[in-house]
């Protein structure tokens, strides 16, 4: 390996950025060494499109002879500056900078990692066209939320200001939505990181629904034995608790269980029960019986630590991609409840996937 282009660790790299109040974790590129002592160049362009990474590498044959790069942080107008005046609370008042002042900023930024940019008119016009098409559609109210539906990836992690001893309120509800819309499934497994936000009490808009489930995933079916289902859940717990990939933490509907995170990996799931779709009754999961698991096509491909999903398909053939958009599936479920005069609310204790959770 000569170059590692990293992602999703939200790591800022780049020299000289501390001058502007940033806290880079290393140079861009950061130079590592492989087992043979040869250089390996690691780059990452921070997070959320705040930066553009530029890496130039020169090879002679298959050997790198030169590598350099930088992190570019775009700065755009209009630009504001301190007016020298203060408001009634003593805070500085800002004023728009003059064209000559902006030219001075551009000159001062030359050669640094801060790059002054202006919107390309043609691209801006394309973006404006689609913003206009969205119009007020994203503000459509699709359901009423009866209570705050908090989200913790790992139970009690304090995410979004919630400390939930049995984990996310909203992730199991998302799993229930998929279960309700796919009658072929016996249970649904949803990774905590696939659900992005908490949902506040009040009105649920189309926009918030897509903030909740922003990825272009589809609902995916896999046939698995009860033992394999427990195995894939243990895979996810290993990824979340031992490998610190918190988004892997599993939530579900149609299955319930105890989790003891203080135990060694692959011994954390206990008292696993499954819900009979026809009668609604709960009973012990048959470890030899084949069940249909609903998940999303991302985790269904073995991603995010769910390795047994891939192993099972490698051995017995691929699962079935329903091609049903998972965000639209949740929206359809919310609209159905709304049409029936029902509000979104957290699952009852009898429906929740986690009966108990013991922290590591």
């Amino acid at each position: 390996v000569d170059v590692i282009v990293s992602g999703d660790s939200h790591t800022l790299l780049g020299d000289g950025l501390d001058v502007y109040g940033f806290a880079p974790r290393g140079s861009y590129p950061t130079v590592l060494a492989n087992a043979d002592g040869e250089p390996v160049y690691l780059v990452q362009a921070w997070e959320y499109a705040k930066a553009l990474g530029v890496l130039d590498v020169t090879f002679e044959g298959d050997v790198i002879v030169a590598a350099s790069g930088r992190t570019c942080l775009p700065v755009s107008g209009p630009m504001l500056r301190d007016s020298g005046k203060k408001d009634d609370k003593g805070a500085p008042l800002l004023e728009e900078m003059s064209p000559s002042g902006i030219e001075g900023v551009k000159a001062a930024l030359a050669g640094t990692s801060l790059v002054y940019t202006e919107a390309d008119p043609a691209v801006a016009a394309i973006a404006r066209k689609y913003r206009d098409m969205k119009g007020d559609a994203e503000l459509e109210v699709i359901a009423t939320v009866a209570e705050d539906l908090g989200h913790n990836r790992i139970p009690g992690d304090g995410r979004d200001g919630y400390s939930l001893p049995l984990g996310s309120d909203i992730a199991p509800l998302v799993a229930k939505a998929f279960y309700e819309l796919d009658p072929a499934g016996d249970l649904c497994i949803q990774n905590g990181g696939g659900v992005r936000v908490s949902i506040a009490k009040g009105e649920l808009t189309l926009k918030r629904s897509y903030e909740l489930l922003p990825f272009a995933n589809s609902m995916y079916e896999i046939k698995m034995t009860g033992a394999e289902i427990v195995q894939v859940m243990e895979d996810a717990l290993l990824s979340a608790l031992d490998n610190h990939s918190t988004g892997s933490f599993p939530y579900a509907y149609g299955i319930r269980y105890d989790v003891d995170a203080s135990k060694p990996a692959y011994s954390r799931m206990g008292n696993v029960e499954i819900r009979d779709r026809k009668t609604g009754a709960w009973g012990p999961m048959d470890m030899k019986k084949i069940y249909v698991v609903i998940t999303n096509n991302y985790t269904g491909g073995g991603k995010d630590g769910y390795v047994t999903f891939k192993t099972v398909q490698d051995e017995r053939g691929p699962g079935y991609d329903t091609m049903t958009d998972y965000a639209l599936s949740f929206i359809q479920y919310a609209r159905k409840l709304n049409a029936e005069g029902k509000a979104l609310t957290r699952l009852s204790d009898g429906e929740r996937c986690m009966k108990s959770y013991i922290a590591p």
Side-chain angles (χ1 to χ4, degrees), residues 298-330:
Y298 177 74
T299 53
K303 305 289 182 61
D304 211 12
Y306 288 75
V307 292
T308 299
F309 277 154
K310 184 176 186 303
T311 302
V312 165
Q313 293 175 86
D314 287 345
E315 292 176 353
R316 297 201 294 268
Y320 172 61
D321 192 335
T322 68
M323 303 304 289
T324 304
D325 181 276
Y326 87 147
L328 283 176
S329 299
F330 177 77

Side-chain angles (χ1 to χ4, degrees), residues 144-150 162 169-170 173 198-204 343-348 352:
T144 299
V145 183
E147 56 193 331
D148 288 346
L149 300 172
Y162 296 93
D169 293 325
I170 187 64
L173 191 57
S198 301
I199 299 295
K201 178 181 178 180
E203 295 180 335
L204 176 65
L344 284 169
T345 185
R346 68 173 62 96
L347 299 181
S348 67
R352 288 192 71 100

Side-chain angles (χ1 to χ4, degrees), residues 113-177:
S113 292
L114 302 183
V115 181
Y116 186 85
T117 62
E118 294 179 353
D120 180 283
V123 175
I126 294 170
R128 191 179 310 112
K129 170 187 173 184
Y130 288 101
R131 280 198 302 270
D132 292 344
M133 285 174 64
K134 282 198 306 180
D136 295 330
E138 64 182 11
L139 300 180
E140 176 193 350
V141 176
I142 63 170
T144 299
V145 183
E147 56 193 331
D148 288 346
L149 300 172
H151 183 46
N152 286 180
R153 288 189 175 186
I154 294 177
D157 67 11
R159 193 178 186 88
D160 287 353
Y162 296 93
S163 183
L164 306 168
L166 292 179
S168 179
D169 293 325
I170 187 64
L173 191 57
V174 167
K176 180 179 182 179

Side-chain angles (χ1 to χ4, degrees), residues 29-157:
T30 293
V31 184
L32 311 173
N34 65 18
D36 296 326
E38 300 165 338
V40 177
Y41 300 92
L42 169 67
V43 294
Q44 173 162 310
W46 203 12
E47 62 187 13
Y48 307 130
K50 295 175 183 174
L52 175 68
V54 180
L55 178 68
D56 292 310
V57 180
T58 302
F59 286 90
E60 289 185 0
D62 60 357
V63 177
I64 292 180
V65 295
S68 62
R70 64 184 181 130
T71 301
C72 298
L73 301 175
V75 179
S76 63
M79 304 188 77
L80 304 177
R81 68 168 195 166
D82 190 339
S83 67
K85 302 175 183 178
K86 298 185 183 298
D87 63 17
D88 55 4
K89 295 182 180 179
L93 289 171
L94 302 179
E95 64 182 9
E96 191 164 327
M97 191 176 289
S98 67
S100 61
I102 292 176
E103 291 303 317
V105 170
K106 291 180 182 179
L109 295 180
T112 74
S113 292
L114 302 183
V115 181
Y116 186 85
T117 62
E118 294 179 353
D120 180 283
V123 175
I126 294 170
R128 191 179 310 112
K129 170 187 173 184
Y130 288 101
R131 280 198 302 270
D132 292 344
M133 285 174 64
K134 282 198 306 180
D136 295 330
E138 64 182 11
L139 300 180
E140 176 193 350
V141 176
I142 63 170
T144 299
V145 183
E147 56 193 331
D148 288 346
L149 300 172
H151 183 46
N152 286 180
R153 288 189 175 186
I154 294 177
D157 67 11

Side-chain angles (χ1 to χ4, degrees), residues 205-252:
T205 62
L206 198 61
K207 178 181 180 181
R208 191 60 172 170
S209 300
Y210 278 105
E211 291 170 345
L212 175 72
L213 300 170
F215 303 111
N217 292 337
S218 57
M219 290 164 55
Y220 196 84
E221 298 173 359
I222 306 173
K223 293 181 178 180
M224 306 175 72
T225 66
E228 290 164 342
I229 292 167
V230 173
Q231 174 85 4
V232 80
M233 299 283 275
E234 290 276 12
D235 291 342
L237 289 170
L238 171 71
S239 180
L241 299 171
D242 299 78
N243 299 335
H244 309 294
S245 181
T246 58
S248 304
F249 197 91
Y251 291 95

